[in-house]
């Protein structure tokens, strides 16, 4: 195994390796080809992946089980002027999925009722009370999006009402499915060809349902004398939900995001345009902006504010209302950050040494931030983490994040089968659960026993993967632009990581919330700004802050353009470092 720059053990204790395997390292003629091959793109598909298009990656929606049944039922409801309700989750994927269906149905002459449950009082997914309420309001068809795969009692109540329910979801399913008119989910255990698209976010599945619906209506002659909606105009919502839900950017998802960013640049959606402005973005959003600027603000409504603010923003036709909601979401996002910091500080003190994964619980913790805190702990401790907020009734709401190679969703299902949790589900990298407080220790021990060997294997295989090596003077805006051509980047299609050096630290200090800022100079006589975010109290931060002026370092991270400078300049966002002498 070749080590980049001979780094076998970095400051963070990991080897540096080339991302490209020996088979892929065939001296490609250009940087973009190198990046695509290193991310698993087949050589014969290079052209499709250079400029991902919907046409190249879109499957026939009919390959998914129950898709045609679902499309026919929605088409019937439209033609009969039935009352349709859309029941969505309170996160970004749920908000964008709900908004996509609402906007599409609106163009088809139906104003759907939207129901987003309150995280604090109702919890995740459909409940008997919610289904009963929608039935009493007159809904004859309910479409659940980003939820419903495990809602057995709620969907049984809807069936008794009687109301038809279509489940549009992507979370892992049990062998038994809930009682519904249709369950459209690529992660059904009995899924056939559609299982290849199990990495889709719920909003991607909703888009495919939209395509199937328009095809059915077209076949029925519905559009004779009326304009057919342009489904592609809703790709901005699909891109946002896909990236924010950390869905793998492989295949169709890459096309969704690449084309959705183009739609978003036109700011056709009034709510999204207001959110972009509230996020203080002056340029066209990138995939990174979806995950770190727009997504968290949509999420803030469901975490610490009104659960339906996100979908209201994305479906409004009133610019003034859009600006007001966007401003409120921006404010709530700042509030969420403060709550998150307090919970994280307490959770970190509770992490147990000697365990292969972290399970922490606290009374009074806000359940709206536990998923974020779990992600922070996972990154800091390099192991799966579950954070549980216990309420005054002794009921814990938990959220977990995993590492590559450890399927947390399956583990949660196993814990449910063992009777250790009340409810739970998710996918490989993220999961949620409900648990009695007195079962938390037994639950933690169960997961430790179940996952210890898998976690050990995943950690042993850990390495920092490098795409290219440069002198400091080679890290320029032109390099950043060249690297971006291989995007969009995200989960499953990682952004390029470059190594630079050798460098010496000219000036290092702590800025903001524990970020380490460094000015480094190379043997080429050029200097570069570098940032290690939230690293002040980590071994990486300690090494940078204590680096003697005569010692040399290799740095590895992501090359970015600093948009805040008077003139665009490249900088390095540090992931790791190693001593060069």
């Amino acid at each position: 195994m070749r080590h980049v720059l001979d780094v076998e053990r970095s400051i963070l204790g990991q080897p540096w390796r080339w991302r490209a395997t020996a088979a892929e390292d065939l001296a490609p003629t250009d940087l973009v080809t190198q990046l695509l091959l290193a991310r698993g793109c087949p050589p014969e598909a290079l052209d499709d992946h250079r400029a991902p298009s919907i046409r190249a990656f879109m499957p026939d929606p009919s390959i998914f089980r129950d898709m045609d049944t679902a499309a026919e039922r929605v088409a019937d409801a439209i033609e009969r002027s039935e009352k349709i309700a859309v029941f969505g989750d309170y996160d970004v994927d749920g908000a964008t999925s709900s908004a996509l269906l609402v906007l599409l149905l609106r163009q088809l002459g139906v104003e759907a009722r939207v129901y987003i449950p309150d995280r604090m009082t109702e919890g995740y997914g459909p409940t008997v009370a919610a289904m009963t309420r929608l039935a009493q309001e007159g809904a004859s068809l309910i479409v659940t999006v980003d939820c419903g795969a495990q809602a057995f009692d709620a969907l049984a109540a809807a069936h008794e009402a009687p109301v038809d329910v279509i489940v549009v979801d992507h979370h892992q399913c049990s062998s038994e499915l809930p009682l519904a008119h249709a369950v459209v989910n690529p992660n059904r255990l009995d899924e056939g060809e559609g299982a290849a698209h199990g990495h889709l976010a719920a909003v991607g599945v909703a888009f495919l349902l939209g395509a199937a619906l328009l095809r059915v209506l077209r076949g029925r002659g519905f559009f004779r004398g009326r304009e057919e909606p342009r489904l592609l105009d809703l790709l901005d919502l699909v891109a946002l939900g896909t990236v924010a839900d950390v869905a793998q950017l492989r295949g169709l998802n890459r096309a969704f995001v690449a084309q959705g960013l183009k739609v978003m640049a036109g700011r056709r959606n009034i709510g999204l345009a207001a959110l972009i402005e509230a996020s203080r973005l002056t340029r066209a959003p990138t995939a990174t902006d979806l995950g770190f600027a727009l997504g968290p603000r949509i999420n803030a409504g469901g975490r610490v504010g009104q659960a339906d603010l996100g979908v209201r923003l994305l479906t409004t036709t009133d610019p003034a209302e859009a600006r007001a909601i966007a401003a409120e979401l921006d404010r709530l996002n700042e509030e969420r950050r403060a709550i998150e910091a307090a919970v994280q500080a307490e959770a970190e003190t509770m992490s147990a040494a000697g365990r292969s994964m972290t399970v922490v619980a606290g009374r009074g913790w806000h359940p709206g931030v536990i998923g974020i805190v779990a992600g922070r702990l996972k990154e800091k401790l390099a192991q799966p983490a579950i954070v549980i907020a216990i309420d005054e009734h002794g009921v814990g709401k938990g959220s977990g994040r995993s590492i590559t190679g450890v399927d947390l969703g399956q583990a949660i299902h196993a814990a449910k089968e063992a009777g250790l949790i009340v409810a739970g589900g998710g996918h490989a990298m993220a999961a949620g659960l409900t648990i009695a407080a007195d079962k938390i220790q037994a639950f933690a021990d169960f997961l430790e026993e179940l996952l210890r060997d898998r976690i050990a294997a995943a950690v042993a295989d850990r390495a920092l993967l490098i795409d290219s090596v440069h002198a400091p003077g080679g890290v320029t805006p032109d390099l950043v632009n060249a690297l971006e051509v291989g995007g969009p980047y995200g989960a499953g299609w990682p952004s390029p990581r470059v190594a630079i050096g050798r460098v010496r630290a000219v000036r290092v200090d702590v800025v903001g919330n524990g970020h380490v800022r460094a000015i480094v100079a190379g043997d080429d006589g050029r200097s570069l700004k570098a940032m290690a975010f939230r690293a002040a109290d980590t071994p990486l931060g300690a090494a940078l802050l204590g680096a003697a002026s005569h010692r040399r370092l290799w740095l590895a991270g992501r090359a970015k353009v600093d948009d805040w400078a008077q003139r665009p300049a490249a900088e390095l966002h540090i992931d790791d470092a190693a001593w060069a002498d």
Side-chain angles (χ1 to χ4, degrees), residues 365-411:
W365 288 354
H366 198 299
V369 302
I370 55 176
I372 303 174
V373 174
R376 299 275 192 230
L377 291 178
K378 179 203 79 168
E379 293 298 328
K380 188 166 187 176
L381 302 175
Q383 60 180 215
I386 295 176
V387 179
I388 302 171
I390 306 172
D391 67 17
E392 66 274 18
H393 304 295
V395 177
K397 297 291 187 181
S399 186
R401 298 294 183 268
S402 194
I403 61 176
T404 301
V406 180
D407 191 328
L408 189 58
Q410 284 187 353

Side-chain angles (χ1 to χ4, degrees), residues 332-353:
L332 289 170
N333 192 49
E334 291 302 316
E335 180 181 332
R336 184 270 306 169
R337 289 184 182 184
I339 296 171
E340 170 200 327
V343 173
Q344 182 177 344
E346 190 174 346
E348 286 182 1
T349 67
M350 302 169 64
S351 301

